[in-house]
Amino acid sequence: MGAPRLSVSRLCGGYDSVRVRCDELGGDSNSWMLMRHIYKMGCRRDAERQAASVKVKAGRQSLESPGNNASPPAIDRKTAIQQALRDVSPDKRSLASHKVIRHGLDRPLTTKATREEARQLAAAERFFAHTCHFLYSAEALRHHAPNDHVPEVVVLGASNVGKSSFLNALVGQPRAARVSQRPGRTTLMNAYGVGPRPKIPRELVRRGTPPPRHGLVLVDTPGYGFRSRAGWGAAVLAYLEARRMLRGAVVLLSSEKRLLPEDRWLLGLLAESNTRTLVVLTKADKGRNDWPVRCSDMAETLLEELQGLDKAVGGGWRAGEGATSDVYVTSAGMDSPGKLGNGGGMGGVRAAILETAGFTLQDKVTKKAEAVTYSGPVVSFDDIQWK
Ligand SMILES: Nc1nc2c(ncn2[C@@H]2O[C@H](COP(=O)(O)OP(=O)(O)OP(=O)(O)O)[C@@H](O)[C@H]2O)c(=O)[nH]1
Ligand SMILES: [Mg+2]
């Protein structure tokens, strides 16, 4: 019998953890081992992760427990949320005027952005203002065009939740993806090129293929649930597991509905595969003029669900570089056609998508250097050389 071997499935998320399939160690072939540290990786990201978790904890403490002399008087989270909601106009026409609407662990629903964030939103807007092009449709994993360099972000959600409308609002092109009132409109995985042309040395481009025209690929998917195609699971799951340049998923949930069992299942799957996940509520404008309370309640339920899943997979899924713990709120259908609308919270989501995909947002959007994808011989956990 040859030496035991582990096979690295995919480096996904922040490159700070690696899931390894235990194939030949006598373990269950379906089980996965999470390696948090791998040779030449880990130390810096560990520090960043700890800093992020300390920040979140500090934010939560400031809402939950009495602070020191310098802190504002302690208030419980429910009161903090009620106070925050008083600052947000319930008139749904006001939705279109908000570039960012989000609800986080450390901050109740807000439409405010700091000056630094406003710069990042402007940079993200310039990135998305480049004309978006349809790239290809794929029915199965093998139909996806090869991609060695451009980060991909996939848009997932139940049928009719507003995935295609969301994509159109992101890129400011009302007809980029087809939208319909009837559930089940999108039947294939459709890829779109977004953003400016990346600078990729010619020698790194696969022979016989043109250099990529866009810095980001967004993939619209068929919805699951009512009127969805039976083959959804297989095609999208294979893509999620094997697509090399996949850097994150945007999960859309309708703010006018409850969390479906299928939504819970999908979030669990993304947690399991350690895929960076951005959670976005759609259709905030539907219903009566109570959107701040409705969206805030749903975001709270979601944050609890996400925290539970994070714990279940050993923590680390929702923290780390490029990850956000906020739930974003949007009303894509309200974006004014013909120009890159900022209304309905789309600005904040643009910035969050770029961060998820591994870009740095300052005055310009730049691609972060990525850790080298580990493709050499796989070592056992005990053989890892610690720094
Ligand atoms: N009021 C409102 N309607 C929206 C919003 N987003 C989408 N819609 C509507 O919801 C319906 C479904 O939108 P789609 O974008 O086709 O939804 P989808 O998730 O792509 O649907 P499938 O491709 O069938 O899975 C359309 O009638 C849209 O106009 C929104 O933010 N507000
Ligand atoms: Mg669609």
Side-chain angles (χ1 to χ4, degrees):
M1 202 175 82
R5 190 167 54 81
L6 295 174
S7 57
V8 173
S9 164
R10 178 157 71 90
L11 291 181
C12 166
Y15 306 100
D16 44 4
S17 57
V18 183
R19 279 184 187 279
V20 181
R21 195 159 203 143
C22 309
D23 275 332
E24 294 171 33
L25 280 183
D28 170 4
S29 65
N30 284 324
S31 65
W32 297 84
M33 193 168 90
L34 185 67
M35 286 166 55
R36 292 225 173 284
H37 307 268
I38 195 160
Y39 184 50
K40 288 189 184 166
M41 295 184 199
C43 290
R44 189 173 65 87
R45 286 189 178 78
D46 255 11
E48 279 167 1
R49 173 173 296 184
Q50 269 168 19
S53 107
V54 167
K55 223 168 94 188
V56 169
K57 275 191 200 136
R60 233 180 294 162
Q61 270 163 10
S62 72
L63 288 176
E64 284 168 358
S65 60
N68 56 27
N69 291 346
S71 316
I75 45 172
D76 66 29
R77 183 159 174 84
K78 209 168 158 199
T79 317
I81 291 174
Q82 278 162 0
Q83 278 182 8
L85 293 183
R86 276 205 285 277
D87 295 337
V88 184
S89 163
D91 179 353
K92 61 186 181 187
R93 279 169 306 180
S94 69
L95 267 167
S97 63
H98 301 308
K99 285 189 177 186
V100 48
I101 313 169
R102 61 197 154 160
H103 188 115
L105 281 170
D106 54 344
R107 105 193 107 195
L109 192 89
T110 179
T111 55
K112 297 196 169 61
T114 62
R115 194 181 287 191
E116 172 61 18
E117 284 168 342
R119 273 175 58 206
Q120 295 176 341
L121 293 179
E125 195 174 319
R126 285 193 293 276
F127 184 98
F128 276 87
H130 287 260
T131 306
C132 154
H133 289 106
F134 168 75
L135 301 177
Y136 61 85
S137 286
E139 191 176 1
L141 178 65
R142 65 181 185 282
H143 301 139
H144 284 265
N147 177 9
D148 303 315
H149 303 287
V150 181
E152 282 184 24
V153 173
V154 65
V155 181
L156 302 166
S159 55
N160 206 244
V161 72
K163 297 175 296 299
S164 305
S165 311
F166 172 81
L167 193 140
N168 291 346
L170 273 181
V171 300
Q173 291 172 220
R175 273 173 287 281
R178 285 203 196 134
V179 167
S180 163
Q181 285 181 340
R182 271 188 54 228
R185 180 70 189 84
T186 309
T187 52
L188 300 168
M189 297 183 78
N190 296 322
Y192 298 84
V194 179
R197 190 186 285 275
K199 290 193 184 94
I200 295 168
R202 194 73 189 90
E203 61 276 15
L204 294 184
V205 177
R206 201 183 275 246
R207 279 181 78 180
T209 58
R213 281 173 72 186
H214 297 279
L216 176 70
V217 174
L218 285 179
V219 182
D220 189 14
T221 57
Y224 48 80
F226 184 58
R227 282 190 193 238
S228 59
R229 251 171 16 107
W232 182 90
V236 181
L237 290 182
Y239 171 88
L240 289 177
E241 187 169 328
R243 191 67 172 166
R244 205 177 125 210
M245 290 309 295
L246 181 65
R247 293 292 175 266
V250 184
V251 175
L252 300 191
L253 301 154
S254 174
S255 64
E256 51 162 5
K257 299 239 165 71
R258 283 164 186 270
L259 199 59
L260 304 169
E262 293 91 334
D263 298 327
R264 290 203 158 92
W265 173 82
L266 173 66
L267 290 168
L269 183 92
L270 293 167
E272 267 293 307
S273 60
N274 199 27
T275 307
R276 270 186 214 160
T277 303
L278 194 65
V279 182
V280 177
L281 300 185
T282 61
K283 306 191 182 184
D285 57 296
K286 285 261 188 169
R288 286 177 292 124
N289 275 346
D290 63 346
W291 71 268
V293 176
R294 189 165 32 91
C295 294
S296 187
D297 284 350
M298 179 129 178
E300 281 286 298
T301 311
L302 263 166
L303 286 170
E304 255 173 48
E305 177 79 17
L306 296 169
Q307 270 183 304
L309 287 170
D310 195 27
K311 267 198 205 130
V313 295
W317 170 47
R318 303 230 78 215
E321 218 181 344
T324 171
S325 59
D326 290 349
V327 170
Y328 284 79
V329 176
T330 60
S331 62
M334 292 181 78
D335 252 10
S336 37
K339 73 178 176 66
L340 198 58
N342 286 314
M346 295 308 300
V349 182
R350 282 186 198 117
I353 287 183
L354 289 178
E355 281 181 341
T356 303
F359 290 92
T360 303
L361 299 178
Q362 282 161 347
D363 286 328
K364 270 183 80 177
V365 175
T366 45
K367 185 81 189 66
K368 275 185 205 143
E370 294 194 351
V372 178
T373 302
Y374 186 76
S375 58
V378 178
V379 291
S380 83
F381 199 68
D382 294 335
D383 291 339
I384 294 169
Q385 296 177 33
W386 303 91
K387 275 196 170 179

